[in-house]
Amino acid sequence: MTERALEEAAAHAVQFLQGLPDRHVGPRAGAGELRARLGGPLPEGPTDPAEVVAQLAKLADDGLVASAGPRFFGFVVGGGLPAAVAADWLAATWDQNAGLFVLSPAAATVEDIAAGWLVELLRLPAATTTGFVTGGTMANFTGLAAARHHVLAAAGWDVERDGLSGAPPVEIVVGAERHVTIDVALRYLGFGSGRLRVVPADGQGRMRADLLAETLAGLNGPAIVCAQAGNVNTGAVDPLAAICDAAAERGAWVHVDGAIGLLAAASPSHRHLLAGVERADSLAADAHKWLNVPYDSGLAFVTRPDAHLAAFSKAAAYFIPGQAGERDPDAFTPEASRRARGLPVWAALRSLGRSGVAELVDRCCRHARRFADALGQADGVEVLNEVVLNQTLVRFLDPGGDHDGRTREVVRRVQEDGTLWLGGTIWHGMAAMRISVSGWRTSDQDVDRSVEAILAAAASVR
Ligand SMILES: Cc1ncc(COP(=O)(O)O)c(C=O)c1O
């Protein structure tokens, strides 16, 4: 039975992938239609598994977004690399619990190997420990939980035992342009967003390191600094070396949210943007963004293993702890039981190799530049950012002065047209179109075709 269901799924998956480059990129069905088709009363009895898969594939199809395809430039979304997607199928089929070594020596060891490869690729300190989590949010949470442990332990407080009530206050310093999930992760850790010390950013969204030094000089007690590698709008990377200098003066922990940009450290031609990154205490990255591992896949790195383990180690009488050389993955993540998320990461790294990762980074950055060059030459289009990474931000100028309205309307028409998909944002008080090139399938021709569609949409707005 399982075999027939898997064959059915494989046939649909192959058909989907073959049609991916030509699909209308955005969804064509809304919640009402999907609910009508897929919903109804809970079936009273069983249905054949292969039939269930066939129904799902058929009925869900036009509610799917071709975000894995070559012309999806919304949010920051990668497509699944072939080896990673197939390895993910195996992860589901094998159904391994990657919590403890004893539950899956293969999942635990493959994850450990992938962790080592990542640390080497990103040139982080060799002792760095890695947690395989669901995404950037939980990677930020994981790094910041290690930070919370470390800075409070240094102040003589055991937060794992005694919690935060009565603990020395922790000063949390963030950049004005941090991602919202930094606030979310801090909130989960008991640090309210109203208490954050916010350091202003420069015109590209980078934290001002000079102002960070001033802020830190005025603070006492344990401190955590949250920096960023890859602004969600501009792709700009905070001045990490200067931030680490300022934090070191004060004994503060540095966490880097690299959900968007950390992978650029693997590219010899882009690594300079992240100079100093190896001095951070913890870092977050998203494998489901630029590494093109299927959802969900985030990575938390901690260069102080003791703090990482102190925050997440778990023990119970019925657990069987791994012996020397045996990784218990749950020691590095908030979860205990979980899927073997390391398998597709291993497959992505093994299939690309060091040169393949660097080439992927460079290619996406080149595409972002190609967008900026082509759109920037067009009348009435303004490129708003310095294109340093894989993000391009543009705005459409309206002869009547309603630039925001025109920009939003161009975004709407592009989405409706379906050649590509992207979204909008507000940048420095202005409506803007965000173009994020994170998928491995995008070619020069896809960029050119997309530019044409964007300009056609702009020309259609009167
Ligand atoms: C800079 C940054 N940090 C964190 C996140 C959160 O990542 P996730 O959505 O994988 O939880 C994002 C998501 O876009 C991001 O851009």
Side-chain angles (χ1 to χ4, degrees):
M1 263 217 268
T2 309
E3 288 79 353
R4 274 192 41 244
L6 286 175
E7 280 161 16
E8 189 72 39
H12 281 288
V14 168
Q15 203 183 4
F16 174 78
L17 289 176
Q18 284 170 347
L20 199 49
D22 303 314
R23 277 177 83 93
H24 185 279
V25 180
R28 280 154 302 143
E33 289 155 273
L34 291 165
R35 205 178 288 282
R37 264 184 241 153
L38 289 146
L42 172 69
E44 286 302 330
T47 306
D48 173 65
E51 173 59 21
V52 171
V53 173
Q55 284 176 4
L56 180 63
K58 178 163 175 253
L59 302 178
D61 187 74
D62 57 6
L64 299 177
V65 174
S67 48
R71 291 184 307 284
F72 186 86
F73 306 109
F75 300 92
V76 184
V77 173
L81 286 162
V85 172
D88 209 49
W89 282 13
L90 286 182
T93 311
W94 290 341
D95 196 19
Q96 301 291 282
N97 182 335
L100 295 175
F101 181 87
V102 70
L103 277 161
S104 181
T109 306
V110 167
E111 173 176 308
D112 205 39
I113 294 165
W117 286 350
L118 285 162
V119 165
E120 186 190 328
L121 190 66
L122 300 171
R123 295 205 240 155
L124 298 176
T128 301
T129 43
T130 307
F132 290 72
V133 292
T134 47
T137 307
M138 288 315 287
N140 281 327
F141 172 85
T142 303
L144 289 166
R148 184 180 68 165
H149 167 85
H150 179 85
V151 299
L152 283 172
W157 187 265
D158 182 342
V159 70
E160 281 73 35
R161 190 190 60 200
D162 298 326
L164 280 179
S165 290
V170 180
E171 298 285 4
I172 312 276
V173 185
V174 297
E177 282 285 339
R178 68 200 177 277
H179 193 261
V180 58
T181 57
I182 285 289
D183 296 43
V184 170
L186 288 166
R187 201 169 79 203
Y188 296 166
L189 289 162
F191 300 124
S193 6
R195 304 282 296 274
L196 307 179
R197 310 275 179 172
V198 181
V199 177
D202 69 11
Q204 293 297 311
R206 290 174 290 239
M207 185 196 283
R208 291 265 311 269
D210 53 331
L211 299 181
L212 169 67
E214 265 176 37
T215 304
L216 285 172
L219 302 178
N220 292 311
I224 300 170
V225 176
C226 300
Q228 179 166 260
N231 178 288
V232 76
N233 288 315
T234 64
V237 178
D238 286 354
L240 300 178
I243 287 171
C244 289
D245 286 343
E249 283 272 298
R250 194 38 201 69
W253 178 286
V254 176
H255 172 77
V256 176
D257 176 0
I260 292 179
L262 188 58
L263 200 68
S267 153
S269 45
H270 287 89
R271 186 172 168 86
H272 65 277
L273 293 170
L274 289 102
V277 69
E278 68 288 346
R279 291 169 58 201
D281 300 291
S282 58
L283 309 97
D286 253 336
H288 58 219
K289 289 189 167 66
W290 221 351
L291 190 56
N292 282 258
V293 168
Y295 284 94
D296 47 24
S297 192
L299 302 160
F301 301 101
V302 182
T303 64
R304 297 176 183 268
D306 292 353
H308 198 173
L309 290 168
F312 292 108
S313 288
K314 307 162 185 74
Y318 73 99
F319 283 13
I320 303 170
Q323 303 301 302
E326 297 177 351
R327 173 187 177 94
D328 282 326
D330 76 329
F332 306 100
T333 59
E335 302 94 340
S337 295
R338 64 172 171 81
R339 70 200 309 269
R341 203 170 278 128
L343 301 177
V345 174
W346 177 92
L349 293 170
R350 182 126 187 162
S351 70
L352 289 175
R354 195 190 303 274
S355 62
V357 175
E359 203 274 324
L360 173 63
V361 167
D362 294 349
R363 181 156 34 101
C364 290
C365 294
R366 227 178 32 245
H367 288 328
R369 193 59 275 148
R370 194 176 178 95
F371 267 114
D373 290 346
L375 291 171
Q377 280 169 17
D379 281 346
V381 188
E382 189 184 356
V383 177
L384 295 178
N385 66 323
E386 289 166 18
V387 180
V388 288
L389 224 55
N390 55 346
Q391 314 292 313
T392 304
L393 205 55
V394 297
R395 172 166 170 86
F396 295 84
L397 304 178
D398 180 59
D402 182 12
H403 310 316
D404 284 356
R406 185 175 183 90
T407 300
R408 289 197 183 100
E409 182 57 17
V410 177
V411 169
R412 196 191 65 73
R413 290 188 188 201
V414 167
Q415 291 174 349
E416 193 178 70
D417 167 61
T419 304
L420 69 147
W421 201 94
L422 43 64
T425 189
I426 305 279
W427 176 246
H428 289 177
M430 299 176 282
M433 171 186 277
R434 288 184 67 252
I435 304 171
S436 171
V437 193
S438 311
W440 69 275
R441 286 188 171 86
T442 305
S443 66
D444 284 357
Q445 291 71 30
D446 288 307
V447 174
D448 296 347
R449 196 172 149 194
S450 300
V451 166
E452 229 174 83
I454 292 170
L455 293 178
S460 74
V461 181
R462 293 279 151 238

